[in-house]
Amino acid sequence: MKAAIYNGVFDIKDNADNGITHTCSTGHCSWQDFSSLAVCSRCVNVTSYLERRYTDGKCDWLGLPNGPALSGQGRQINSSVTDTSSELHGLEPSVLRFSSLVSKEIRNFDRVLAHECSMFYCIGKYAATVTDGIVEQRMLASWRNDSARLDNASDLILQPPVEFTNQSGQPITFKVSHIAAAAINTFLSSMFTGSGSVNDSGSVFSSDTMQALYDTSNITQRIDNLATSMTNNIRGQDDHVSGPACGIAWTSETYVHVRWAWFAFPATLILIAAFFLLGIIFETSFRDILIWKSSNLALLFHGRGLNLSSPSERPVNTLSAMNTRATNIKAELLETSQGGWQLTQEGQ
């Protein structure tokens, strides 16, 4: 939990919401709405509660009733565990309640911001999805029991209404150990109590937490990020009481959709070619045409002026017979008496 608290306080991008532990084998998953023990937060601007003191017409002190104060001139922060305003009364059971007072402009106490923040245990109802391996979750609703109180003797029991039932549909009960709650409160109280200042020679802060609060431009968002980080740690606990929320893993499958109209043109070509082939077969058979195809032997054996066969030999008309006869013939190209060239069988 300490690591989760530090991560929430010092995360300058305030993106603790992406740190929830999840398992999604396909990178695309969804879950039904589920409920979990959580830490909720709320901050209010209490600058109007500031009290000022003046010396020689200049404000040199200001502070919150029963809370932090600033004195002198300079950029400062002061934070303490206090109960300043009535706006956060009733937010129970409390994890921590503190006030902070920040001045970021030298010699101008009119540019001061004061906030009071409260973190408290609640039940959150969540929706979560994973898209392209990136988890996204949001809190749909929250519930707290303002009549519940933390003490040093008994655990905190939270029984939310029926709309916060989990996926099983059965009523659920959440418990916070009083020992763990006391330890968290003590740790947070020490973290959010301190001060700091910045001047021309440097800066001095009582703790890194004070510097983080001074540097943030939105304390409400930073405390909300802290509450989310603590909630993620609670949800990630592996114990025998709670269990994971089960969802659906989605995967992509390829389907082929045939548009038969696009087959009309190639199918027509195939049919025409088939009819043309059948016509050629029928025509050559009807006319008793020899099937020589593209063989050059037909031209050599039956061309004009070629002497590759003698009159005493049986004529060869089929392609197979010409292939057989050609294996035993040697021909050469000779010059004629008229100055031309003629292919003649050797020995003739």
Side-chain angles (χ1 to χ4, degrees):
M1 179 60 79
K2 283 186 177 181
I5 292 174
Y6 285 135
N7 181 65
V9 171
F10 300 120
D11 182 8
I12 61 175
K13 295 183 179 180
D14 294 326
N15 61 354
D17 200 43
N18 296 329
I20 186 63
T21 301
H22 67 283
T23 301
C24 179
S25 58
T26 63
H28 294 272
C29 298
S30 62
W31 287 263
Q32 292 182 359
D33 300 345
F34 57 91
S35 300
S36 173
L37 177 65
V39 176
C40 296
S41 67
R42 184 185 174 193
C43 291
V44 294
N45 190 319
V46 293
T47 306
S48 59
Y49 289 81
L50 285 175
E51 299 175 353
R52 290 175 169 82
R53 296 175 186 174
Y54 295 85
T55 301
D56 298 330
K58 295 182 179 181
C59 179
D60 58 0
W61 183 94
L62 50 78
L64 292 170
N66 302 319
L70 301 178
S71 60
Q73 301 291 329
R75 292 169 286 185
Q76 305 175 60
I77 182 175
N78 199 343
S79 175
S80 62
V81 179
T82 56
D83 186 355
T84 300
S85 71
S86 61
E87 296 184 53
L88 299 182
H89 286 171
L91 295 182
E92 297 290 348
S94 177
V95 177
L96 176 72
R97 187 170 178 177
F98 74 97
S99 300
S100 69
L101 185 57
V102 180
S103 170
K104 290 192 174 183
E105 187 169 338
I106 298 177
R107 298 181 180 86
N108 189 352
F109 273 157
D110 291 331
R111 299 291 300 275
V112 175
L113 286 178
H115 288 87
E116 185 175 26
C117 298
S118 176
M119 293 191 296
F120 47 92
Y121 293 106
C122 65
I123 306 301
K125 188 174 184 179
Y126 296 90
T129 58
V130 174
T131 305
D132 293 330
I134 300 176
V135 62
E136 179 181 354
Q137 67 172 359
R138 63 186 184 277
M139 181 182 286
L140 303 176
S142 64
W143 175 86
R144 67 178 187 274
N145 185 359
D146 291 333
S147 62
R149 294 291 187 275
L150 285 167
D151 57 51
N152 296 325
S154 59
D155 296 338
L156 175 65
I157 305 298
L158 297 175
Q159 294 179 313
V162 292
E163 57 264 28
F164 284 84
T165 56
N166 258 337
Q167 296 175 348
S168 63
Q170 301 298 321
I172 49 178
T173 299
F174 296 94
K175 182 178 72 172
V176 179
S177 167
H178 68 280
I179 298 176
I184 292 174
N185 178 265
T186 301
F187 181 69
L188 289 175
S189 297
S190 63
M191 279 189 65
F192 286 89
T193 300
S195 59
S197 62
V198 178
N199 51 46
D200 295 336
S201 60
S203 61
V204 178
F205 294 93
S206 61
S207 67
D208 293 336
T209 303
M210 291 299 102
Q211 185 171 3
L213 290 181
Y214 179 85
D215 290 338
T216 184
S217 59
N218 190 334
I219 190 171
T220 300
Q221 187 173 357
R222 183 58 57 89
I223 299 305
D224 183 65
N225 190 68
L226 169 60
T228 301
S229 183
M230 295 176 65
T231 298
N232 290 345
N233 180 269
I234 293 173
R235 290 171 54 188
Q237 297 299 317
D238 185 12
D239 53 46
H240 66 282
V241 178
S242 61
C246 297
I248 301 175
W250 302 93
T251 185
S252 299
E253 291 186 359
T254 302
Y255 290 88
V256 178
H257 175 67
V258 179
R259 297 184 179 181
W260 295 105
W262 291 96
F263 279 86
F265 180 71
T268 302
L269 291 180
I270 293 175
L271 289 175
I272 293 174
F275 281 116
F276 181 72
L277 176 61
L278 291 175
I280 292 176
I281 294 174
F282 176 78
E283 187 70 15
T284 54
S285 176
F286 179 77
R287 293 175 178 269
D288 198 20
I289 298 175
L290 296 175
I291 302 175
W292 290 340
K293 298 182 179 179
S294 59
S295 176
N296 293 325
L297 291 178
L299 178 63
L300 295 177
F301 277 100
H302 301 283
R304 294 183 60 187
L306 298 178
N307 298 316
L308 294 184
S309 60
S310 61
S312 61
E313 293 178 337
R314 184 179 179 181
V316 287
N317 296 322
T318 64
L319 185 59
S320 59
M322 286 188 288
N323 285 328
T324 302
R325 180 72 60 84
T327 57
N328 300 317
I329 295 176
K330 291 184 179 180
E332 56 182 348
L333 193 63
L334 300 176
E335 187 176 5
T336 64
S337 58
Q338 290 80 18
W341 294 88
Q342 185 179 8
L343 190 63
T344 306
Q345 183 176 355
E346 288 186 0
Q348 291 184 359

